[in-house]
Amino acid sequence: MPQVCTTCVSPHVATIDALWATGTRTRKSLAGEFGVGYQSLVRHLRSHLGQVAPAPAQARATRVALRAATPVRATISAVETFEQAFGVAPMPYQVDVLTETSNMLLLKGRQIGATQAMAAAAIHCARSRDGALAAVISPSLRQSTEICTRARIGLWQLGEKLRQDSTSLLRLENGSRIISLPGSARGIRGYPVDFLVLDEAAWIDDETFTAARAMTAATGGRIVVQSTPGSPSGFFHSLATETPDAWRRMVVRSEEAATIDPEFLARERREMTPALYAAEYEAQFPSVESLVGAIFHPSDIARLFGDEEASCPQSLTA
């Protein structure tokens, strides 16, 4: 029976591989930090990464450079955090998201880079103050961990060493945390949050939103509620159509994202119904009529209201 690589099945394997590639950790330190066997780690690096150790001079130079480049946290803005963490300049709307200080409602099209912006904002919150807490709530835990995944990558680039690293929790050396939570009212109670993201909020229920609002009561923290449009009902629709005065409302269509090929959007427009395209890419809520039409054929609706004479199959007689 072939031997299973215990490092490969570790929940920290992605972190181990990334840190090894940077040359900032030795094999011994990686094994101890992430609780894997030393010999297993050596075999993993040799078999899967094709090397046993980085060049010593290169590794030392990398460690020195990272220590020298570690910024003074108080002087790094959220926009600078984005640039240094992801190696690109944020798009104009991302700058607005990162520099806004009030609560925000972001009604958006698909794939505009909102996840990356929220990851940068969470990193900035966690690095700006010791013991801070940034939390992400999504309809499912799998969805909410995506922002954590992006934040993990950004923290590596910034030279941060994580004291705790799991799928749903990142803990920095200053005690700050970035956590992912599932969208249930019971599961999110008890967290005093400095920065809170409700992602794909159109699919989060009203009870969960009510519980989430209280998470910033003691901290005075900031809330960002973002989503593509869902059904024209519920708390997200209310926030989007009747945004409170204290909130910033922002609408970003997919065509405004420089990362999306216009040809892709043109093809989607041709292949989708106008209502579906508008909901997915133009940040427009579907009308009740379009939802009804998606479920019932027009002839069924006509017969229901007596606009068309219903035809019934003839009864079978013996």
Side-chain angles (χ1 to χ4, degrees):
M1 179 180 294
Q3 187 176 9
V4 176
C5 176
T6 56
T7 302
C8 279
V9 299
S10 167
H12 307 296
V13 63
T15 305
I16 291 170
D17 290 349
L19 289 174
W20 178 255
T22 66
T24 59
R25 300 287 197 282
T26 65
R27 289 168 292 171
K28 183 177 291 187
S29 66
L30 283 172
E33 186 174 349
F34 296 102
V36 298
Y38 177 76
Q39 293 301 326
S40 169
L41 178 63
V42 172
R43 289 192 297 271
H44 169 80
L45 295 175
R46 181 184 295 118
S47 301
H48 302 297
L49 299 186
Q51 56 181 329
V52 176
Q58 180 183 358
R60 284 195 298 272
T62 302
R63 288 194 291 270
V64 170
L66 285 173
R67 284 196 295 269
T70 300
V72 178
R73 289 187 172 92
T75 65
I76 300 298
S77 70
V79 173
E80 292 170 324
T81 297
F82 185 105
E83 293 172 342
Q84 294 183 19
F86 301 119
V88 295
M91 291 179 280
Y93 100 85
Q94 290 174 320
V95 172
D96 285 347
V97 169
L98 292 167
T99 55
E100 182 61 61
T101 57
S102 61
N103 292 342
M104 172 175 283
L105 182 287
L106 176 58
L107 180 62
K108 64 185 186 68
R110 296 286 299 277
Q111 300 296 313
I112 64 166
T115 297
Q116 194 170 37
M118 291 303 101
I123 292 172
H124 181 256
C125 171
R127 300 180 83 229
S128 295
R129 189 171 73 255
D130 295 347
L133 176 58
V136 182
I137 299 173
S138 295
S140 68
L141 184 59
R142 179 190 61 79
Q143 291 169 304
S144 64
T145 57
E146 181 60 27
I147 291 179
C148 258
T149 299
R150 300 289 184 93
R152 179 184 293 107
I153 295 170
L155 288 165
W156 291 340
Q157 295 300 319
L158 291 164
E160 287 283 352
K161 179 179 179 180
L162 297 176
R163 288 173 51 191
Q164 191 171 354
D165 180 7
S166 67
T167 302
S168 58
L169 170 62
L170 307 175
R171 188 189 300 271
L172 281 64
E173 287 192 306
N174 68 349
S176 293
R177 294 169 293 160
I178 301 174
I179 61 173
S180 303
L181 298 170
S184 70
R186 179 179 298 180
I188 64 175
R189 294 180 181 274
Y191 292 94
V193 175
D194 299 283
F195 177 63
L196 177 63
V197 180
L198 277 76
D199 191 35
E200 292 301 343
W203 287 269
I204 294 176
D205 61 46
D206 292 8
E207 183 183 6
T208 300
F209 177 63
T210 300
R213 292 176 67 103
M215 296 171 74
T216 60
T219 63
R222 180 186 175 209
I223 301 174
V224 175
V225 179
Q226 65 178 28
S227 186
T228 49
S231 63
S233 63
F235 84 90
F236 181 72
H237 179 260
S238 298
L239 276 178
T241 54
E242 300 178 9
T243 308
D245 292 339
W247 287 56
R248 166 83 180 274
R249 181 180 185 272
M250 184 180 295
V251 179
V252 182
R253 296 180 295 277
S254 296
E255 64 186 29
E256 298 176 57
T259 53
I260 300 180
D261 185 354
E263 286 298 322
F264 169 82
L265 293 177
R267 185 168 60 253
E268 290 287 274
R269 188 187 292 273
R270 289 192 300 269
E271 297 176 359
M272 302 171 73
T273 65
L276 185 57
Y277 181 86
E280 291 288 291
Y281 298 109
E282 295 185 327
Q284 295 181 20
F285 283 94
S287 64
V288 175
E289 291 78 7
S290 67
L291 291 176
V292 172
I295 300 173
F296 299 101
H297 191 275
S299 62
D300 296 328
I301 300 173
R303 283 196 296 269
L304 179 64
F305 290 96
D307 294 334
E308 177 179 308
E309 185 177 343
S311 58
C312 301
Q314 294 180 350
S315 300
L316 296 177
T317 57

